[in-house]
Amino acid sequence: MKSGRFQLGDITVEPSTLALTHKDGRPAQLRHKSRAVLACLLETPNRTVSKDHLLQTVWSGLSVSDESLVQCIADIRRIVGKDARQVVETVPREGYRVNVSAAPGARPRPALLIPVALVAAALGTGWALWPRDTVPPDGSARGPDIAAAKASPPGTASTAAYLEVLQGRVSASRFSQDESLVAERHFRRAIALDPSFARAYAELGTLLAVRFENDWTVLGEADKDKALFYAQTAASLDPELWLAHYALGRLYSLFGDLDAAERHLETAMSLQPGKEDARAYFGILRNFQGKSDNAVAILQQAVASHPDPPYWYYLGLGNALFNTGRNAEAEAALDRCQALSQASPYCLRYLIGVYGAMGRMAEAQAAARSYEAMGFELSVASIMGLMSYHHPDARARLEAALRRAGVPD
């Protein structure tokens, strides 16, 4: 089959992976949310996509201003270059349209008919993705490559289970409590379809770790046992699956067994040295262990190596820098974190503390007001209750900084 690549101004796009390439062959970089906006626009190239649809798809119903979307459109136009406003077109009072053409020597696809695949690519699943004309969701035969695709879904003989995991990844990447529950249903269905699919168990274990980290559930012993069961089952089914060890590393770090967390994260890094998520979380673990200088070095390397670092890399880096007293650098990292996660409170909690530690009271109070406006309780006790797995010295530093910023007990 000929390539389905097409041209977006000065950028060549591979629709099955959303790989973006400059004329000289260099990869083009976009922020996480900007890639997701582009993915949504490319689901229906040359057709108008409403602002409401873009906001709902990319921000999953979170309350964000149109400015967030405008910034993403500006990011896309920046890399498009020539005739950017004609290529990424504003349709007054309606939305935006991406006008594409076939890349030189390529035959354009008639449509990108599987939104989940393209959006999953934008949100960084790290898997090779298939166009829908290869395998429809019901597994029925359609398209010229059906036999090859059905024979080789990654890690499973069940195409349906594979697609459930992809859909779960899309929901998980939207990063909210409600979407976490949607993702869990997809991963459970994948397991029901193929009880030997290690990746589905590992995804579920990782999902539960994120849920615990963000206090989206009341954590009891049964919850710990359940989460560990999924991650341990993944490692048992496929001992060389890096994500299984990554899930175990995150879970053990939350449950206080930092030695076990370290072993599994080191295993994950050895199995997939190019997976910066494992390296970044290893840096966060070092911070939990009170080794903040080492954490800074590891996280800086992860940020430098990742083509589009997600917000939590900067969150971990900002936290580690704050713990080493490098407040100005911590502020810069947390500002970047906040820019990538405008509708979430995680970076704001530390920014309040950083501003307090630096004696910048007006900015501390502004950040505190933003935090409250998101519907979160502004108190030292409430914020510190979310930091139970942090090192005692780090907790004491943040607690003192929050009080200095004027946050009530």
Side-chain angles (χ1 to χ4, degrees):
M1 175 182 281
K2 291 184 180 180
S3 169
R5 292 178 302 128
F6 52 80
Q7 203 70 28
L8 201 64
D10 293 338
I11 299 297
T12 300
V13 182
E14 169 51 57
S16 64
T17 61
L18 207 70
L20 309 172
T21 309
H22 289 286
K23 286 181 178 179
D24 60 6
R26 292 179 298 112
Q29 307 296 344
L30 275 176
R31 293 187 302 120
H32 179 75
K33 288 295 187 186
S34 301
R35 284 177 62 83
V37 168
L38 179 58
C40 192
L41 290 168
L42 289 175
E43 289 170 17
T44 52
N46 304 314
R47 294 175 60 185
T48 301
V49 181
S50 73
K51 288 183 179 180
D52 287 345
H53 180 72
L54 288 163
L55 290 168
Q56 176 63 34
T57 300
V58 176
W59 284 272
S60 188
L62 295 173
S63 178
V64 296
S65 69
D66 286 355
E67 181 62 25
S68 298
L69 177 57
V70 170
Q71 289 176 2
C72 290
I73 294 296
D75 282 348
I76 298 166
R77 284 172 171 161
R78 174 180 49 79
I79 68 164
V80 165
K82 183 181 179 182
D83 301 323
R85 290 189 174 275
Q86 286 71 48
V87 175
V88 184
E89 183 180 356
T90 300
V91 182
R93 295 183 296 279
E94 293 186 41
Y96 297 95
R97 177 169 59 231
V98 169
N99 299 308
V100 305
S101 58
R107 184 179 68 194
R109 299 173 190 262
L112 303 181
L113 297 175
I114 181 164
V116 66
L118 191 56
V119 178
L123 294 174
T125 64
W127 291 9
L129 301 171
W130 306 329
R132 186 168 174 171
D133 64 359
T134 305
V135 184
D138 62 3
S140 58
R142 184 179 68 200
D145 294 329
I146 183 66
K150 288 187 71 174
S152 58
T156 178
S158 170
T159 297
Y162 170 75
L163 290 175
E164 288 289 351
V165 165
L166 274 186
Q167 290 168 330
R169 284 293 302 125
V170 172
S171 293
S173 296
R174 288 171 178 154
F175 205 75
S176 72
Q177 184 171 3
D178 289 344
E179 289 293 341
S180 172
L181 296 173
V182 174
E184 181 177 356
R185 289 195 290 272
H186 284 298
F187 295 146
R188 289 187 181 279
R189 282 199 288 266
I191 290 170
L193 289 163
D194 181 0
S196 65
F197 190 7
R199 181 88 194 202
Y201 289 96
E203 292 282 7
L204 189 48
T206 304
L207 181 79
L208 292 173
V210 172
R211 193 177 294 172
F212 299 153
E213 289 166 2
N214 291 281
D215 201 33
W216 290 341
T217 186
V218 176
L219 182 57
E221 289 302 318
D223 299 296
K224 294 181 181 180
D225 292 343
K226 178 174 66 174
L228 286 171
F229 165 78
Y230 290 121
Q232 289 167 344
T233 299
S236 175
L237 289 168
D238 185 355
E240 300 205 350
L241 178 63
W242 80 274
L243 186 64
H245 295 282
Y246 174 67
L248 285 167
R250 290 186 77 152
L251 288 166
Y252 279 124
S253 74
L254 298 176
F255 301 159
D257 191 343
L258 301 188
D259 290 340
E262 184 173 339
R263 289 195 302 273
H264 283 288
L265 289 170
E266 286 177 337
T267 299
M269 289 187 292
S270 69
L271 290 170
Q272 285 285 349
K275 291 292 184 183
E276 292 302 328
D277 281 1
R279 186 184 309 281
Y281 200 84
F282 188 71
I284 291 171
L285 175 68
R286 282 288 190 245
N287 201 37
F288 293 168
Q289 293 170 323
K291 303 174 182 178
S292 296
D293 286 315
N294 186 222
V296 168
I298 293 169
L299 283 157
Q300 285 177 332
Q301 180 182 350
V303 166
S305 300
H306 196 291
D308 188 19
Y311 85 91
W312 62 271
Y313 282 40
Y314 294 101
L315 177 61
L317 178 58
N319 186 3
L321 286 164
F322 174 64
N323 289 335
T324 61
R326 295 157 67 177
N327 292 327
E329 293 173 81
E331 179 190 3
L334 292 168
D335 279 342
R336 181 60 176 156
C337 172
Q338 188 64 21
L340 294 172
S341 60
Q342 295 176 24
S344 64
Y346 313 108
C347 315
L348 272 176
R349 292 174 186 144
Y350 287 103
L351 271 172
I352 296 167
V354 168
Y355 290 139
M358 299 172 76
R360 290 160 54 180
M361 301 306 297
E363 288 158 295
Q365 290 166 9
R369 287 194 296 271
S370 296
Y371 184 72
E372 279 189 300
M374 292 179 180
F376 294 93
E377 179 186 348
L378 180 67
S379 71
V380 173
S382 174
I383 292 175
M384 297 313 301
L386 301 170
M387 311 293 175
S388 58
Y389 42 88
H390 286 61
H391 190 272
D393 292 346
R395 287 176 55 80
R397 178 185 291 271
L398 179 59
E399 188 170 347
L402 290 171
R403 287 201 172 95
R404 187 175 179 189
V407 176
D409 287 342

